[in-house]
Amino acid sequence: MNIETIILLVPLLPLLGCLVAGLFGRQVGRAGAHWVTILAVAGAFLLSAYVAWEVFFNELPVLNYSVYTWAVSDGIRFEIGFLIDSLTALMMVVVTFVSLMVHVYTIGYMHDDDGYQRFFAYINLFTFAMLMLVMANNFLQLFFGWEAVGVVSYLLIGFWFKKDSAVKANLKAFLVNRVGDFGFLLGIAAVLFYMGSLDYAEVFAATPAVEGQTMRVLGQIEWQVMTFICICLFIGAMGKSAQVPLHAWLPDSMEGPTPISALIHAATMVTAGIFMVARLSPMFETSVTALSFILVIGAITALFMGLVGIVQNDIKRVVAYSTLSQLGYMTVALGVSAYSAAIFHLMTHAFFKALLFLAAGSVIIALHHKQDMRQMGGLARYMPVTAATAWIGSLALIGFPFFSGFYSKDLIIEAVKLAERPGVAFATFAVYAGVVITALYSFRMLYLAFHGPTRMDEETRAHAHESPLVVTLPLVLLAIPSVLIGYLTVQPLLFGGALADAISVREGHDVVAQLADKVSSPLMFGLKGFLTPVFWLAMLGVGLASWIYLLRPGLADSIKARAGLVWTVLDRKYGFDELYQRVVAGGALKLAGGLSRGGDRFLIDGLLVNGSARLVGRLATAARRIQSGFLFHYAFAMIIGLVAVLASFMLLR
């Protein structure tokens, strides 16, 4: 089997699994549905691992080829094709491994659900869509994967369609992403207009010629073409990767089953925007304005979404706001041209965030789908494996030395300090403040759920126990890379040139290269991590959480009472939901009402439909009066008509 066939099988196997489980679910049964989909994703993972081995260890040259030509119009080719380089290989392994863990975990979590086969079909389809996105060699296929993950996320967030909140959440996700996707589509259209191609290689080759060109937007405003393209493309990333202000859909996606929360937040969809910007780095490097815009948006998201996580009581929503904050860190890295650091954090984050979500799901299973941390406490005694893996995920999240998150997040902070562009000062403050905030909400979650006095009712406590092996095994397998993957891969991925064939950084922008001396040895870098300000800021957050939620549990209510306005603002998530509900949704309803009254009722119904009927009626009434049936009336009409004809003839002469 040649390498191109192996590559083609990677996305096709999950698609095949989806078709079998989705179309023949009754025939194969519940067990058949999970076996066929799990084996499909396992096969995709093994093949992805083989491709990654060939790329990273056997120096497989970059493969860029077309699989199928859909159409050719005016010399522009619309194709399905694959670009296999180091970035693609890395994403293929991350997506398929996390997806495999989620598939196995789903057996336990969805065991009693009536939509068992349907759920497995959906998550196989989700995996296929994300693989098509990361493997694309052109904008057309990128857009296909982009929209496909959006559609499947809609189906999965609203999987429990009898639940009103789930239906509203999936509609919210769909609509918010349409806003971002409008910008994304504008960017792709501009790429096609100015560069005459949708193929990545051809677009990158044409970028220098377009770099100096300008265009007029909104009248007389002059824009650099590349700035316009890059900002439009990033608006798409703001929707998919949930950056402020297009972030509001992500916390509500928790209404879906926990396995899909893990898959959306860890390895698919929300990482698509980060991947896209890194993939298109040759384009984004041409516009410092666009990069500064990205930097500021990422810093705002990292700081302010982390603050909201502090006041959440739903265990899944705490992890969800953590995802928003960490996506902000990745976006900040993109904004300072540290693309490899962003991808590195994307990879490490995928493992420990999937671990945290699945650990939260294990707790939810044990407590019969109770998610409020105020009704938990002391679960470590009942669920030691879940508690231990949640600790590992949390330590990786706060960047504790030697855990995977330490290497990726600390290097982003160091890269921001070295960058020189507008917005760096605010971004530096945001990423440092985010360290304290992350540690505070992470350990708040650990203490409220797993430690301290139990707050469960007697019935819940009597049934609380460790989850079955099918749930805990994925937790253990995700905990291993959450500890080790950063230590093992930081050197080759960031400083060994492993991603050099996929990421382009201009001279003077390469802040990651300036960090090479600090990470010459992952061991020494980890040891020095205990002496850095970042570590002590994290310990400040841990200390605050320990004091407030473990040692003085009554203090939290006192702080909440004193910080009334601040707490309310955070609890209401800065009012974004109300803003969108009143301004966007309310404005749309008023516009629709106005169009209904003015256009539908008055113009269409009033004038065109009913008005034409009334006109016909009046003409008919007038005609009936003329048709009297008396001969002398008709003779008189004929004489009048003849006189009118003669008069007209005389006037025309």
Side-chain angles (χ1 to χ4, degrees), residues 447-529:
Y447 294 147
L448 289 179
F450 297 103
H451 302 284
T454 181
R455 296 174 298 281
M456 298 178 286
D457 57 57
E458 289 302 321
E459 182 182 357
T460 304
R461 186 189 303 181
H463 292 91
H465 59 82
E466 186 59 87
S467 298
L469 182 64
V470 74
V471 172
T472 56
L473 179 60
L475 294 180
V476 173
L477 293 178
L478 284 166
I480 294 170
S482 296
V483 177
L484 298 176
I485 197 71
Y487 181 91
L488 297 176
T489 60
V490 60
Q491 191 64 37
L493 285 180
L494 266 63
F495 310 109
L499 295 175
D501 62 341
I503 290 173
S504 174
V505 183
R506 293 195 169 185
E507 187 177 353
H509 290 184
D510 197 353
V511 291
V512 173
Q514 300 176 48
L515 298 171
D517 293 339
K518 293 189 176 184
V519 200
S520 56
S521 166
L523 175 62
M524 292 305 299
F525 185 64
L527 291 173
K528 291 178 181 177

Side-chain angles (χ1 to χ4, degrees), residues 196-232:
S197 176
L198 294 175
D199 182 85
Y200 289 160
E202 294 178 5
V203 169
F204 296 161
T207 296
V210 179
E211 185 175 349
Q213 296 183 30
T214 60
M215 61 188 297
R216 293 190 182 277
V217 180
L218 300 176
Q220 300 302 313
I221 302 175
E222 193 100 352
W223 280 63
Q224 293 288 327
V225 169
M226 291 309 303
T227 297
F228 176 81
I229 290 174
C230 291
I231 288 179
C232 284

Side-chain angles (χ1 to χ4, degrees), residues 211-531:
E211 185 175 349
Q213 296 183 30
T214 60
M215 61 188 297
R216 293 190 182 277
V217 180
L218 300 176
Q220 300 302 313
I221 302 175
E222 193 100 352
W223 280 63
Q224 293 288 327
V225 169
M226 291 309 303
T227 297
F228 176 81
I229 290 174
C230 291
I231 288 179
C232 284
L233 293 174
F234 180 68
I235 288 172
M238 288 170 64
K240 277 291 181 290
S241 293
Q243 298 296 290
V244 174
L246 301 181
H247 67 286
W249 68 271
L250 192 60
D252 288 356
S253 69
M254 298 300 97
E255 295 297 331
T258 297
I260 193 52
S261 299
L263 199 55
I264 287 177
H265 286 243
T268 62
M269 191 148 172
V270 296
T271 61
I274 307 301
F275 165 81
M276 182 269 291
V277 176
R279 168 61 77 200
L280 304 181
S281 58
M283 297 173 62
F284 281 86
E285 280 295 283
T286 63
S287 175
V288 174
T289 302
L291 290 174
S292 296
F293 176 71
I294 293 170
L295 175 64
V296 173
I297 292 294
I300 291 171
T301 306
L303 176 60
F304 291 101
M305 293 303 106
L307 286 169
V308 178
I310 297 173
V311 304
Q312 298 300 307
N313 294 314
D314 185 316
I315 189 170
K316 283 175 64 177
R317 285 184 178 267
V318 175
V319 186
Y321 277 99
S322 165
T323 299
L324 283 169
S325 182
Q326 296 308 304
L327 287 167
Y329 273 88
M330 297 176 210
T331 305
V332 164
L334 297 173
V336 296
S337 299
Y339 306 99
S340 57
I343 294 298
F344 185 47
H345 194 47
L346 183 157
M347 178 189 70
T348 62
H349 176 265
F351 296 117
F352 63 72
K353 188 50 59 70
L355 173 60
L356 286 171
F357 267 114
L358 298 188
S362 179
V363 170
I364 293 168
I365 294 171
L367 302 186
H368 301 286
H369 292 271
K370 290 182 179 178
Q371 299 180 197
D372 193 329
M373 296 185 297
R374 293 170 296 186
Q375 300 176 25
M376 299 179 188
L379 284 173
R381 297 191 294 273
Y382 304 93
M383 309 179 70
V385 176
T386 300
T389 53
W391 266 86
I392 289 172
S394 297
L395 289 171
L397 174 60
I398 71 169
F400 195 84
F402 292 107
F403 284 77
S404 60
F406 162 74
Y407 290 97
S408 56
K409 192 160 75 170
D410 271 39
L411 286 172
I412 289 176
I413 294 171
E414 293 295 324
V416 173
K417 288 163 55 179
L418 294 173
E420 295 181 2
R421 64 188 44 157
V424 164
F426 170 66
T428 303
F429 167 76
V431 294
Y432 271 112
V435 172
V436 183
I437 295 165
T438 302
L440 177 56
Y441 66 63
S442 297
F443 274 74
R444 173 179 178 263
M445 179 187 70
L446 285 177
Y447 294 147
L448 289 179
F450 297 103
H451 302 284
T454 181
R455 296 174 298 281
M456 298 178 286
D457 57 57
E458 289 302 321
E459 182 182 357
T460 304
R461 186 189 303 181
H463 292 91
H465 59 82
E466 186 59 87
S467 298
L469 182 64
V470 74
V471 172
T472 56
L473 179 60
L475 294 180
V476 173
L477 293 178
L478 284 166
I480 294 170
S482 296
V483 177
L484 298 176
I485 197 71
Y487 181 91
L488 297 176
T489 60
V490 60
Q491 191 64 37
L493 285 180
L494 266 63
F495 310 109
L499 295 175
D501 62 341
I503 290 173
S504 174
V505 183
R506 293 195 169 185
E507 187 177 353
H509 290 184
D510 197 353
V511 291
V512 173
Q514 300 176 48
L515 298 171
D517 293 339
K518 293 189 176 184
V519 200
S520 56
S521 166
L523 175 62
M524 292 305 299
F525 185 64
L527 291 173
K528 291 178 181 177
F530 289 104
L531 305 175

Side-chain angles (χ1 to χ4, degrees), residues 41-97:
V41 175
F45 167 65
L46 292 175
L47 294 177
S48 297
Y50 172 76
V51 172
W53 179 271
E54 291 294 311
V55 169
F56 290 112
F57 296 100
N58 291 336
E59 298 182 356
L60 178 74
V62 173
L63 299 176
N64 184 6
Y65 61 96
S66 174
V67 176
Y68 171 72
T69 300
W70 177 45
V72 179
S73 177
D74 292 331
I76 300 168
R77 303 179 68 86
F78 300 92
E79 299 176 327
I80 301 298
F82 294 142
L83 171 60
I84 307 300
D85 56 14
S86 55
L87 179 58
T88 306
L90 178 67
M91 291 297 297
M92 287 165 64
V93 171
V94 170
V95 170
T96 53
F97 178 76

Side-chain angles (χ1 to χ4, degrees), residues 307 310 398 432-448 535-557 559 567:
L307 286 169
I310 297 173
I398 71 169
Y432 271 112
V435 172
V436 183
I437 295 165
T438 302
L440 177 56
Y441 66 63
S442 297
F443 274 74
R444 173 179 178 263
M445 179 187 70
L446 285 177
Y447 294 147
L448 289 179
F535 173 75
W536 292 109
L537 286 172
M539 290 305 99
L540 173 61
V542 171
L544 287 172
S546 303
W547 177 254
I548 298 170
Y549 297 103
L550 190 64
L551 301 177
R552 296 280 303 277
L555 189 58
D557 291 334
I559 293 173
W567 194 278

